[in-house]
Amino acid sequence: MITVVDYGMGNIRSVLKAFSAVGADAVSSRNPEHILEADAIILPGVGAFGDGMANLRKYGLLEPLTTSIIKNKTPFLGICLGMQLIARDSNELGSFEGLGWIDAKVRRFKFEGAHSNLKIPHIGWNEARMSNDCPLFEGMGDSANVYFVHSFHMITEDKSLEKAITEYGYDFTSAIQTENLFATQFHPEKSQKAGLAILRNFLKIVRM
Amino acid sequence: MLKTRIIPTVLFKNGIVVKTKKFSEHRNIGSCINTVRVYNAREVDELIFIDTDATKEMRGLPIAIVREVLDECFMPLTVGGGVKTTEDINALLKIGADKVSINSEAVKRPDFISEAAKVFGSQSIVISIDAKRNGGSYEVFTESATKPSGMDPVFWAKKCEKLGAGEILINSIDHDGMMDGFDIELIKQVSDAVNIPVIACGGAGNLDDFTKAIKEGHASAVSASSIFLFTQTTPENVKMHMAKSGINVRI
Protein backbone atom coordinates (compact mmCIF):
# COMPACT_ATOMS: atom_id res chain seq x y z
CA MET A 1 0.00 0.00 0.00
CA ILE A 2 1.23 3.46 -0.93
CA THR A 3 0.05 6.03 1.58
CA VAL A 4 -0.29 9.65 0.49
CA VAL A 5 -0.26 11.63 3.71
CA ASP A 6 -3.38 13.78 3.93
CA TYR A 7 -2.44 16.53 6.37
CA GLY A 8 -4.71 19.21 4.92
CA MET A 9 -2.07 20.76 2.67
CA GLY A 10 -3.24 20.66 -0.89
CA ASN A 11 -3.23 18.66 -4.04
CA ILE A 12 -3.78 15.09 -2.82
CA ARG A 13 -6.10 14.21 -5.67
CA SER A 14 -3.54 15.00 -8.38
CA VAL A 15 -1.02 12.73 -6.64
CA LEU A 16 -3.52 9.86 -6.34
CA LYS A 17 -4.47 10.28 -9.99
CA ALA A 18 -0.86 10.23 -11.15
CA PHE A 19 -0.13 7.02 -9.22
CA SER A 20 -3.23 5.43 -10.65
CA ALA A 21 -2.03 6.45 -14.15
CA VAL A 22 1.17 4.43 -13.61
CA GLY A 23 -0.80 1.46 -12.34
CA ALA A 24 -0.36 1.75 -8.59
CA ASP A 25 -2.99 1.95 -5.90
CA ALA A 26 -2.34 4.83 -3.59
CA VAL A 27 -4.61 5.87 -0.75
CA SER A 28 -4.75 9.17 1.07
CA SER A 29 -4.81 8.89 4.83
CA ARG A 30 -3.87 10.53 8.09
CA ASN A 31 -4.32 7.35 10.10
CA PRO A 32 -1.00 6.54 11.90
CA GLU A 33 -1.52 2.83 11.19
CA HIS A 34 -1.60 3.49 7.45
CA ILE A 35 1.74 5.22 7.83
CA LEU A 36 3.35 2.50 9.95
CA GLU A 37 2.15 -0.30 7.64
CA ALA A 38 2.74 1.45 4.29
CA ASP A 39 5.06 0.05 1.60
CA ALA A 40 5.81 3.63 0.64
CA ILE A 41 4.91 7.07 1.93
CA ILE A 42 4.28 10.19 -0.14
CA LEU A 43 4.30 13.59 1.53
CA PRO A 44 2.82 16.06 -0.99
CA GLY A 45 1.76 19.54 -0.12
CA VAL A 46 1.40 23.13 -1.14
CA GLY A 47 1.18 26.03 1.27
CA ALA A 48 3.30 27.51 4.01
CA PHE A 49 6.02 25.59 5.90
CA GLY A 50 4.79 26.57 9.38
CA ASP A 51 1.23 25.45 8.63
CA GLY A 52 2.54 22.17 7.22
CA MET A 53 4.49 21.35 10.39
CA ALA A 54 1.59 22.50 12.60
CA ASN A 55 -0.79 20.17 10.74
CA LEU A 56 1.56 17.17 10.98
CA ARG A 57 1.74 17.83 14.71
CA LYS A 58 -2.02 18.41 15.05
CA TYR A 59 -2.84 15.07 13.41
CA GLY A 60 -0.25 13.22 15.51
CA LEU A 61 1.82 12.24 12.48
CA LEU A 62 5.34 13.26 13.55
CA GLU A 63 6.06 10.07 15.47
CA PRO A 64 4.55 7.53 13.05
CA LEU A 65 6.30 9.23 10.11
CA THR A 66 9.67 9.19 11.87
CA THR A 67 9.27 5.57 12.98
CA SER A 68 8.19 4.37 9.55
CA ILE A 69 10.63 6.37 7.44
CA ILE A 70 13.73 6.87 9.59
CA LYS A 71 13.64 3.74 11.75
CA ASN A 72 11.96 1.18 9.45
CA LYS A 73 13.38 2.74 6.24
CA THR A 74 10.06 2.76 4.35
CA PRO A 75 10.62 4.37 0.91
CA PHE A 76 9.62 8.03 1.07
CA LEU A 77 8.86 10.61 -1.62
CA GLY A 78 8.44 14.25 -0.59
CA ILE A 79 6.97 16.63 -3.15
CA CYS A 80 7.29 20.45 -3.08
CA LEU A 81 6.41 21.44 0.50
CA GLY A 82 6.85 17.75 1.33
CA MET A 83 10.51 18.08 0.31
CA GLN A 84 11.00 21.26 2.28
CA LEU A 85 9.50 19.84 5.50
CA ILE A 86 12.27 17.21 5.86
CA ALA A 87 14.85 19.98 6.24
CA ARG A 88 16.06 21.38 9.58
CA ASP A 89 14.26 24.69 9.33
CA SER A 90 12.62 27.36 7.19
CA ASN A 91 12.20 31.10 7.54
CA GLU A 92 8.92 31.28 5.59
CA LEU A 93 6.67 33.78 7.44
CA GLY A 94 8.67 33.34 10.65
CA SER A 95 11.15 30.79 11.89
CA PHE A 96 10.07 27.16 11.94
CA GLU A 97 11.72 23.85 12.73
CA GLY A 98 11.21 21.08 10.19
CA LEU A 99 11.35 17.30 10.48
CA GLY A 100 15.17 17.58 10.40
CA TRP A 101 15.76 14.30 8.57
CA ILE A 102 18.45 15.85 6.42
CA ASP A 103 21.04 18.56 6.91
CA ALA A 104 19.41 21.35 4.94
CA LYS A 105 17.53 24.60 5.34
CA VAL A 106 14.74 26.25 3.32
CA ARG A 107 15.04 29.85 2.13
CA ARG A 108 13.27 32.24 -0.24
CA PHE A 109 14.70 32.91 -3.70
CA LYS A 110 16.97 35.91 -3.50
CA PHE A 111 18.14 37.54 -6.71
CA GLU A 112 20.88 40.08 -7.25
CA GLY A 113 22.33 42.10 -10.11
CA ALA A 114 21.26 41.04 -13.59
CA HIS A 115 18.64 38.68 -12.15
CA SER A 116 17.04 41.10 -9.69
CA ASN A 117 13.94 41.48 -11.91
CA LEU A 118 13.14 37.74 -11.91
CA LYS A 119 9.61 37.08 -10.73
CA ILE A 120 8.75 35.13 -7.59
CA PRO A 121 7.04 32.58 -7.29
CA HIS A 122 9.05 30.46 -9.72
CA ILE A 123 6.07 29.11 -11.72
CA GLY A 124 6.23 26.91 -14.78
CA TRP A 125 8.32 24.38 -16.66
CA ASN A 126 12.04 24.35 -16.05
CA GLU A 127 14.87 21.94 -16.61
CA ALA A 128 16.01 19.56 -13.89
CA ARG A 129 19.58 18.40 -14.52
CA MET A 130 19.53 14.98 -12.93
CA SER A 131 22.23 12.71 -11.46
CA ASN A 132 22.34 9.42 -13.31
CA ASP A 133 23.20 7.58 -10.10
CA CYS A 134 19.79 8.34 -8.56
CA PRO A 135 17.33 5.48 -9.20
CA LEU A 136 14.47 8.01 -9.29
CA PHE A 137 15.81 9.32 -12.63
CA GLU A 138 16.89 6.03 -14.16
CA GLY A 139 16.63 5.91 -17.94
CA MET A 140 15.71 9.59 -18.21
CA GLY A 141 18.96 11.01 -19.57
CA ASP A 142 20.67 14.09 -18.19
CA SER A 143 17.72 16.44 -17.94
CA ALA A 144 13.96 16.82 -18.21
CA ASN A 145 11.44 19.66 -18.19
CA VAL A 146 9.36 19.49 -15.02
CA TYR A 147 6.74 21.74 -13.40
CA PHE A 148 7.52 24.07 -10.49
CA VAL A 149 5.35 26.33 -8.31
CA HIS A 150 7.27 27.72 -5.32
CA SER A 151 8.93 30.76 -3.73
CA PHE A 152 11.24 28.90 -1.31
CA HIS A 153 13.84 26.23 -2.01
CA MET A 154 16.15 23.87 -0.15
CA ILE A 155 19.78 24.73 0.54
CA THR A 156 22.13 21.97 1.65
CA GLU A 157 25.84 21.94 2.50
CA ASP A 158 25.94 18.19 1.90
CA LYS A 159 26.31 18.03 -1.88
CA SER A 160 26.09 14.22 -1.83
CA LEU A 161 22.34 14.64 -1.15
CA GLU A 162 21.80 16.69 -4.30
CA LYS A 163 20.32 14.63 -7.18
CA ALA A 164 18.87 17.32 -9.43
CA ILE A 165 19.74 20.95 -10.01
CA THR A 166 17.64 23.65 -11.65
CA GLU A 167 18.59 27.17 -12.68
CA TYR A 168 16.38 30.11 -11.80
CA GLY A 169 18.59 33.16 -11.33
CA TYR A 170 21.11 30.70 -9.88
CA ASP A 171 21.39 26.93 -9.50
CA PHE A 172 19.25 25.49 -6.72
CA THR A 173 18.68 21.94 -5.44
CA SER A 174 15.55 20.58 -7.12
CA ALA A 175 15.80 16.94 -5.93
CA ILE A 176 17.60 15.12 -3.15
CA GLN A 177 18.10 11.53 -2.09
CA THR A 178 19.73 9.65 0.73
CA GLU A 179 18.98 5.96 1.29
CA ASN A 180 15.15 5.55 1.32
CA LEU A 181 14.50 9.32 1.33
CA PHE A 182 13.62 10.86 -2.05
CA ALA A 183 12.28 14.36 -2.56
CA THR A 184 11.59 16.75 -5.42
CA GLN A 185 10.88 20.48 -5.34
CA PHE A 186 9.02 20.10 -8.64
CA HIS A 187 5.70 18.28 -9.06
CA PRO A 188 6.09 14.86 -10.77
CA GLU A 189 2.30 14.50 -10.62
CA LYS A 190 1.96 17.60 -12.82
CA SER A 191 4.94 17.01 -15.09
CA GLN A 192 3.17 14.84 -17.66
CA LYS A 193 5.44 12.18 -19.30
CA ALA A 194 8.62 13.08 -17.39
CA GLY A 195 6.72 13.13 -14.11
CA LEU A 196 5.08 9.77 -14.70
CA ALA A 197 8.50 8.28 -15.59
CA ILE A 198 9.77 9.46 -12.20
CA LEU A 199 6.79 7.92 -10.40
CA ARG A 200 7.33 4.63 -12.28
CA ASN A 201 10.95 4.64 -11.13
CA PHE A 202 9.82 5.28 -7.57
CA LEU A 203 7.47 2.28 -7.82
CA LYS A 204 10.39 0.12 -8.96
CA ILE A 205 12.32 1.22 -5.86
CA VAL A 206 9.33 0.39 -3.67
CA ARG A 207 8.93 -3.07 -5.19
CA MET A 208 12.63 -3.98 -4.90
CA MET B 1 16.04 28.23 -17.64
CA LEU B 2 12.34 28.83 -16.98
CA LYS B 3 10.20 28.27 -20.08
CA THR B 4 7.57 30.76 -21.24
CA ARG B 5 4.16 29.15 -20.82
CA ILE B 6 1.41 29.05 -23.43
CA ILE B 7 -1.86 28.53 -21.59
CA PRO B 8 -5.18 27.77 -23.30
CA THR B 9 -8.15 29.27 -21.45
CA VAL B 10 -11.41 27.32 -21.41
CA LEU B 11 -14.42 29.48 -20.55
CA PHE B 12 -17.53 27.55 -19.67
CA LYS B 13 -21.13 27.87 -18.56
CA ASN B 14 -23.40 24.96 -17.58
CA GLY B 15 -20.74 22.43 -18.57
CA ILE B 16 -20.49 23.85 -22.10
CA VAL B 17 -17.46 25.68 -23.47
CA VAL B 18 -18.46 29.20 -24.47
CA LYS B 19 -16.71 31.98 -26.30
CA THR B 20 -17.36 35.65 -25.79
CA LYS B 21 -16.57 38.85 -27.63
CA LYS B 22 -15.82 41.76 -25.32
CA PHE B 23 -17.39 39.65 -22.56
CA SER B 24 -20.78 39.34 -24.28
CA GLU B 25 -22.35 37.44 -27.23
CA HIS B 26 -21.83 34.00 -25.70
CA ARG B 27 -21.36 31.33 -28.34
CA ASN B 28 -21.64 27.67 -27.39
CA ILE B 29 -18.65 25.72 -28.61
CA GLY B 30 -18.95 22.18 -27.30
CA SER B 31 -18.54 19.96 -24.29
CA CYS B 32 -15.95 20.83 -21.66
CA ILE B 33 -14.74 17.27 -21.37
CA ASN B 34 -13.96 16.91 -25.08
CA THR B 35 -12.15 20.24 -25.21
CA VAL B 36 -10.08 19.44 -22.16
CA ARG B 37 -9.25 15.95 -23.49
CA VAL B 38 -7.77 17.49 -26.62
CA TYR B 39 -5.61 19.89 -24.61
CA ASN B 40 -4.55 17.03 -22.37
CA ALA B 41 -3.49 14.92 -25.36
CA ARG B 42 -1.52 17.91 -26.65
CA GLU B 43 0.29 18.11 -23.30
CA VAL B 44 -0.20 21.86 -22.98
CA ASP B 45 1.92 23.74 -20.42
CA GLU B 46 -1.07 24.65 -18.22
CA LEU B 47 -4.79 25.19 -18.54
CA ILE B 48 -7.07 27.94 -17.21
CA PHE B 49 -10.67 26.85 -16.65
CA ILE B 50 -13.17 29.59 -15.80
CA ASP B 51 -16.93 29.72 -15.25
CA THR B 52 -17.74 33.00 -17.03
CA ASP B 53 -20.90 34.09 -15.24
CA ALA B 54 -20.75 32.54 -11.77
CA THR B 55 -20.45 35.91 -10.00
CA LYS B 56 -22.92 37.76 -12.21
CA GLU B 57 -25.48 34.99 -11.69
CA MET B 58 -24.73 34.98 -7.95
CA ARG B 59 -23.85 31.30 -7.73
CA GLY B 60 -20.80 29.23 -6.96
CA LEU B 61 -18.84 27.00 -9.30
CA PRO B 62 -20.65 23.75 -10.19
CA ILE B 63 -18.20 21.51 -8.32
CA ALA B 64 -19.52 18.21 -9.71
CA ILE B 65 -19.00 19.36 -13.32
CA VAL B 66 -15.61 20.86 -12.56
CA ARG B 67 -14.50 17.68 -10.82
CA GLU B 68 -15.46 15.55 -13.80
CA VAL B 69 -13.42 17.79 -16.09
CA LEU B 70 -10.40 18.00 -13.77
CA ASP B 71 -10.32 14.21 -13.62
CA GLU B 72 -9.39 14.27 -17.33
CA CYS B 73 -6.43 16.58 -16.75
CA PHE B 74 -2.81 15.79 -16.07
CA MET B 75 -1.53 19.31 -16.68
CA PRO B 76 -1.30 22.11 -14.12
CA LEU B 77 -4.67 23.78 -13.70
CA THR B 78 -6.02 27.15 -12.66
CA VAL B 79 -9.74 27.18 -11.93
CA GLY B 80 -11.96 30.23 -11.33
CA GLY B 81 -15.41 31.77 -11.40
CA GLY B 82 -17.44 33.01 -8.45
CA VAL B 83 -14.76 32.20 -5.85
CA LYS B 84 -15.73 34.04 -2.66
CA THR B 85 -14.49 32.14 0.38
CA THR B 86 -11.55 30.06 1.59
CA GLU B 87 -13.98 27.09 1.56
CA ASP B 88 -14.50 27.66 -2.19
CA ILE B 89 -10.73 27.61 -2.69
CA ASN B 90 -10.28 24.53 -0.55
CA ALA B 91 -12.99 22.68 -2.51
CA LEU B 92 -11.24 23.44 -5.81
CA LEU B 93 -7.75 22.53 -4.61
CA LYS B 94 -9.16 19.30 -3.23
CA ILE B 95 -10.57 18.17 -6.57
CA GLY B 96 -7.26 18.77 -8.33
CA ALA B 97 -6.88 22.49 -9.09
CA ASP B 98 -3.33 23.73 -8.54
CA LYS B 99 -4.21 27.39 -8.53
CA VAL B 100 -7.46 29.25 -7.99
CA SER B 101 -8.30 32.47 -9.78
CA ILE B 102 -10.19 35.21 -7.95
CA ASN B 103 -11.62 38.30 -9.60
CA SER B 104 -14.74 40.19 -8.42
CA GLU B 105 -14.54 39.15 -4.77
CA ALA B 106 -10.95 40.40 -4.50
CA VAL B 107 -12.00 43.86 -5.69
CA LYS B 108 -14.96 43.86 -3.32
CA ARG B 109 -12.97 42.58 -0.36
CA PRO B 110 -9.17 42.95 -0.88
CA ASP B 111 -8.41 41.31 2.49
CA PHE B 112 -9.71 38.07 0.98
CA ILE B 113 -6.43 37.92 -0.98
CA SER B 114 -4.25 37.97 2.14
CA GLU B 115 -6.59 35.58 3.92
CA ALA B 116 -6.38 33.12 1.00
CA ALA B 117 -2.61 33.50 0.56
CA LYS B 118 -2.03 32.86 4.24
CA VAL B 119 -4.02 29.61 4.22
CA PHE B 120 -3.05 28.19 0.82
CA GLY B 121 0.23 29.95 0.03
CA SER B 122 0.67 32.76 -2.51
CA GLN B 123 1.56 30.29 -5.25
CA SER B 124 -2.04 28.98 -5.27
CA ILE B 125 -3.68 32.39 -5.62
CA VAL B 126 -4.08 33.96 -9.05
CA ILE B 127 -5.78 37.35 -9.25
CA SER B 128 -7.61 37.82 -12.51
CA ILE B 129 -7.96 41.45 -13.59
CA ASP B 130 -10.32 42.52 -16.40
CA ALA B 131 -9.43 45.98 -17.69
CA LYS B 132 -10.93 48.31 -20.28
CA ARG B 133 -9.36 51.26 -22.03
CA ASN B 134 -10.88 54.55 -21.01
CA GLY B 135 -9.38 57.37 -23.10
CA GLY B 136 -5.68 57.48 -22.27
CA SER B 137 -5.94 55.21 -19.24
CA TYR B 138 -7.41 51.90 -18.11
CA GLU B 139 -10.06 50.88 -15.60
CA VAL B 140 -10.66 47.58 -13.79
CA PHE B 141 -14.14 46.04 -14.23
CA THR B 142 -15.71 43.15 -12.32
CA GLU B 143 -18.74 40.84 -12.64
CA SER B 144 -18.05 39.83 -16.25
CA ALA B 145 -17.05 43.36 -17.23
CA THR B 146 -20.37 44.87 -16.15
CA LYS B 147 -19.24 46.76 -13.06
CA PRO B 148 -16.66 49.57 -13.13
CA SER B 149 -14.36 49.70 -10.09
CA GLY B 150 -12.82 53.14 -10.56
CA MET B 151 -9.39 51.56 -10.14
CA ASP B 152 -6.39 51.65 -12.43
CA PRO B 153 -5.12 48.11 -13.22
CA VAL B 154 -1.51 49.00 -12.31
CA PHE B 155 -2.59 50.30 -8.90
CA TRP B 156 -4.76 47.22 -8.37
CA ALA B 157 -2.09 44.72 -9.52
CA LYS B 158 0.48 46.23 -7.13
CA LYS B 159 -2.01 46.07 -4.29
CA CYS B 160 -2.78 42.41 -5.11
CA GLU B 161 0.94 41.61 -5.03
CA LYS B 162 1.31 43.33 -1.67
CA LEU B 163 -1.64 41.38 -0.27
CA GLY B 164 -0.04 38.08 -1.27
CA ALA B 165 -1.24 37.19 -4.79
CA GLY B 166 1.10 34.72 -6.49
CA GLU B 167 0.25 35.56 -10.07
CA ILE B 168 -1.76 38.09 -12.11
CA LEU B 169 -3.94 37.20 -15.09
CA ILE B 170 -4.49 40.44 -17.00
CA ASN B 171 -7.31 40.41 -19.53
CA SER B 172 -8.27 43.16 -21.95
CA ILE B 173 -12.05 43.53 -22.17
CA ASP B 174 -11.73 45.48 -25.46
CA HIS B 175 -9.78 42.66 -27.13
CA ASP B 176 -11.60 39.67 -25.60
CA GLY B 177 -12.56 37.30 -28.43
CA MET B 178 -11.69 39.86 -31.11
CA MET B 179 -8.48 38.13 -32.25
CA ASP B 180 -7.07 41.55 -33.14
CA GLY B 181 -3.91 41.38 -31.02
CA PHE B 182 -3.17 41.83 -27.32
CA ASP B 183 -3.34 45.21 -25.60
CA ILE B 184 0.45 45.39 -25.32
CA GLU B 185 0.42 48.73 -23.48
CA LEU B 186 -1.86 47.32 -20.75
CA ILE B 187 0.22 44.15 -20.41
CA LYS B 188 3.47 46.11 -20.25
CA GLN B 189 2.19 48.54 -17.64
CA VAL B 190 1.08 45.70 -15.36
CA SER B 191 4.07 43.38 -15.97
CA ASP B 192 6.60 46.13 -15.29
CA ALA B 193 4.82 47.19 -12.10
CA VAL B 194 4.89 43.89 -10.19
CA ASN B 195 7.46 41.26 -9.20
CA ILE B 196 5.07 38.32 -9.52
CA PRO B 197 4.43 36.51 -12.83
CA VAL B 198 1.87 38.09 -15.18
CA ILE B 199 -0.18 36.07 -17.67
CA ALA B 200 -1.34 38.10 -20.68
CA CYS B 201 -4.82 37.38 -22.02
CA GLY B 202 -7.30 38.76 -24.53
CA GLY B 203 -6.88 39.25 -28.26
CA ALA B 204 -4.45 36.65 -29.62
CA GLY B 205 -5.16 36.34 -33.35
CA ASN B 206 -1.90 35.24 -34.92
CA LEU B 207 1.49 33.79 -34.00
CA ASP B 208 3.26 37.14 -33.79
CA ASP B 209 0.79 38.39 -31.18
CA PHE B 210 2.16 35.87 -28.66
CA THR B 211 5.75 36.87 -29.29
CA LYS B 212 4.83 40.55 -28.87
CA ALA B 213 3.10 39.91 -25.52
CA ILE B 214 6.39 38.49 -24.23
CA LYS B 215 8.97 40.70 -25.95
CA GLU B 216 7.12 44.03 -25.86
CA GLY B 217 4.56 43.39 -23.11
CA HIS B 218 7.08 41.66 -20.79
CA ALA B 219 4.50 39.04 -19.76
CA SER B 220 5.71 35.82 -18.10
CA ALA B 221 3.12 33.66 -19.86
CA VAL B 222 0.45 34.03 -22.52
CA SER B 223 -3.11 32.75 -22.50
CA ALA B 224 -5.56 32.47 -25.37
CA SER B 225 -8.85 30.87 -26.24
CA SER B 226 -10.40 31.80 -29.64
CA ILE B 227 -7.28 31.21 -31.71
CA PHE B 228 -7.12 27.61 -30.48
CA LEU B 229 -10.88 27.03 -30.88
CA PHE B 230 -11.53 28.75 -34.21
CA THR B 231 -8.30 28.33 -36.18
CA GLN B 232 -5.89 25.51 -36.99
CA THR B 233 -3.28 27.07 -34.67
CA THR B 234 -2.25 24.83 -31.76
CA PRO B 235 -0.29 25.78 -28.64
CA GLU B 236 2.60 23.83 -30.15
CA ASN B 237 2.58 25.99 -33.33
CA VAL B 238 2.77 29.05 -31.10
CA LYS B 239 5.73 27.66 -29.19
CA MET B 240 7.62 26.70 -32.38
CA HIS B 241 7.13 30.26 -33.60
CA MET B 242 8.27 31.75 -30.30
CA ALA B 243 11.34 29.50 -30.24
CA LYS B 244 12.36 30.90 -33.64
CA SER B 245 12.42 34.39 -32.18
CA GLY B 246 14.62 33.28 -29.30
CA ILE B 247 12.00 32.79 -26.57
CA ASN B 248 12.63 29.78 -24.32
CA VAL B 249 9.69 27.39 -24.53
CA ARG B 250 9.02 23.73 -23.76
CA ILE B 251 8.64 21.79 -27.00
Side-chain angles (χ1 to χ4, degrees):
Chain A
M1 177 182 62
I2 295 171
T3 301
V4 180
V5 183
D6 177 8
Y7 61 122
M9 299 299 287
N11 62 345
I12 302 279
R13 192 164 172 83
S14 306
V15 176
L16 294 175
K17 248 169 53 185
F19 271 104
S20 139
V22 295
D25 276 335
V27 292
S28 68
S29 174
R30 62 176 65 131
N31 179 339
E33 269 176 41
H34 293 160
I35 284 163
L36 291 167
E37 290 164 8
D39 298 315
I41 294 169
I42 317 297
L43 189 63
V46 289
F49 190 98
D51 292 344
M53 283 307 292
N55 281 10
L56 288 179
R57 211 167 283 128
K58 181 171 92 184
Y59 296 126
L61 297 174
L62 293 183
E63 223 183 88
L65 282 172
T66 308
T67 305
S68 185
I69 294 155
I70 300 304
K71 195 168 151 239
N72 302 341
K73 306 276 179 210
T74 306
F76 168 85
L77 177 62
I79 299 171
C80 195
L81 179 62
M83 170 179 184
Q84 299 180 0
L85 290 175
I86 70 173
R88 273 192 328 260
D89 65 80
S90 167
N91 62 355
E92 182 175 3
L93 308 169
S95 178
F96 297 96
E97 258 183 51
L99 292 162
W101 294 342
I102 59 165
D103 188 14
K105 59 185 181 182
V106 177
R107 295 293 179 267
R108 193 168 203 266
F109 276 109
K110 199 177 165 192
F111 302 124
E112 282 160 2
H115 298 296
S116 54
N117 60 349
L118 277 179
K119 309 259 176 165
I120 303 174
H122 172 224
I123 300 183
W125 295 82
N126 203 339
E127 228 168 60
R129 282 133 50 203
M130 306 170 303
S131 301
N132 290 318
D133 68 341
C134 180
L136 202 56
F137 305 126
E138 201 189 289
M140 296 184 65
D142 294 331
S143 79
N145 278 314
V146 287
Y147 190 79
F148 291 87
V149 192
H150 63 125
S151 304
F152 288 72
H153 63 86
M154 188 179 269
I155 300 170
T156 176
E157 299 296 319
D158 182 357
K159 295 298 164 198
S160 72
L161 292 173
E162 200 165 60
K163 300 299 175 188
I165 295 168
T166 297
E167 191 252 315
Y168 190 55
Y170 48 81
D171 281 347
F172 71 92
T173 307
S174 53
I176 59 110
Q177 185 225 332
T178 175
E179 296 184 275
N180 60 318
L181 290 181
F182 296 82
T184 63
Q185 179 58 62
F186 53 85
H187 290 269
E189 80 281 12
K190 286 287 168 181
S191 297
Q192 297 168 354
K193 280 186 188 127
L196 296 182
I198 290 168
L199 295 185
R200 264 188 218 106
N201 281 336
F202 182 70
L203 287 179
K204 269 194 238 162
I205 298 161
V206 174
R207 286 163 185 165
M208 266 190 321
Chain B
M1 204 175 168
L2 185 64
K3 310 293 187 289
T4 297
R5 291 165 286 159
I6 298 301
I7 311 176
T9 292
V10 176
L11 299 172
F12 72 101
K13 202 177 163 177
N14 307 323
I16 303 285
V17 179
V18 295
K19 210 24 244 172
T20 53
K21 279 188 180 173
K22 301 186 178 185
F23 280 66
S24 52
E25 293 181 42
H26 284 105
R27 264 178 73 182
N28 289 352
I29 306 299
S31 100
C32 281
I33 295 249
N34 289 341
T35 306
V36 165
R37 274 187 190 144
V38 171
Y39 286 135
N40 197 53
R42 293 192 193 281
E43 301 206 300
V44 297
D45 292 335
E46 267 184 40
L47 193 70
I48 297 175
F49 191 60
I50 291 182
D51 187 325
T52 50
D53 289 339
T55 299
K56 208 169 75 185
E57 293 172 0
M58 292 186 289
R59 57 177 170 79
L61 271 170
I63 289 291
I65 294 175
V66 176
R67 183 184 165 123
E68 214 178 302
V69 173
L70 299 202
D71 273 351
E72 297 289 326
C73 296
F74 285 92
M75 74 290 260
L77 289 160
T78 300
V79 184
V83 173
K84 285 188 172 55
T85 63
T86 52
E87 288 78 39
D88 292 342
I89 299 173
N90 194 34
L92 291 173
L93 296 177
K94 242 186 162 159
I95 60 171
D98 300 283
K99 298 182 268 180
V100 170
S101 136
I102 309 169
N103 189 329
S104 304
E105 190 66 13
V107 171
K108 210 160 125 193
R109 202 162 55 89
D111 286 346
F112 180 39
I113 301 174
S114 41
E115 194 188 325
K118 194 173 170 292
V119 181
F120 305 104
S122 289
Q123 77 289 332
S124 312
I125 308 302
V126 180
I127 301 299
S128 166
I129 302 176
D130 298 330
K132 199 170 175 174
R133 194 180 269 279
N134 185 357
S137 60
Y138 293 96
E139 184 176 359
V140 175
F141 278 67
T142 60
E143 301 188 18
S144 310
T146 56
K147 202 174 162 192
S149 72
M151 275 192 304
D152 176 79
V154 168
F155 165 85
W156 177 227
K158 284 170 104 158
K159 189 163 176 189
C160 292
E161 176 181 22
K162 210 172 153 204
L163 289 168
E167 208 166 25
I168 301 282
L169 173 63
I170 180 76
N171 193 11
S172 157
I173 295 168
D174 306 302
H175 293 265
D176 171 61
M178 303 307 286
M179 297 177 71
D180 57 353
F182 290 101
D183 191 328
I184 299 294
E185 181 56 31
L186 170 67
I187 294 164
K188 185 174 179 296
Q189 282 187 15
V190 173
S191 298
D192 289 351
V194 295
N195 293 313
I196 52 179
V198 172
I199 306 169
C201 185
N206 63 50
L207 296 174
D208 281 331
D209 290 339
F210 290 89
T211 312
K212 272 191 209 155
I214 301 298
K215 291 208 159 171
E216 295 167 28
H218 305 159
S220 303
V222 193
S223 183
S225 170
S226 302
I227 189 169
F228 300 136
L229 293 173
F230 300 139
T231 78
Q232 297 298 314
T233 305
T234 64
E236 176 131 17
N237 298 148
V238 173
K239 288 199 268 186
M240 302 287 246
H241 186 77
M242 287 173 117
K244 274 189 215 146
S245 60
I247 297 171
N248 226 310
V249 289
R250 182 181 70 121
I251 293 178

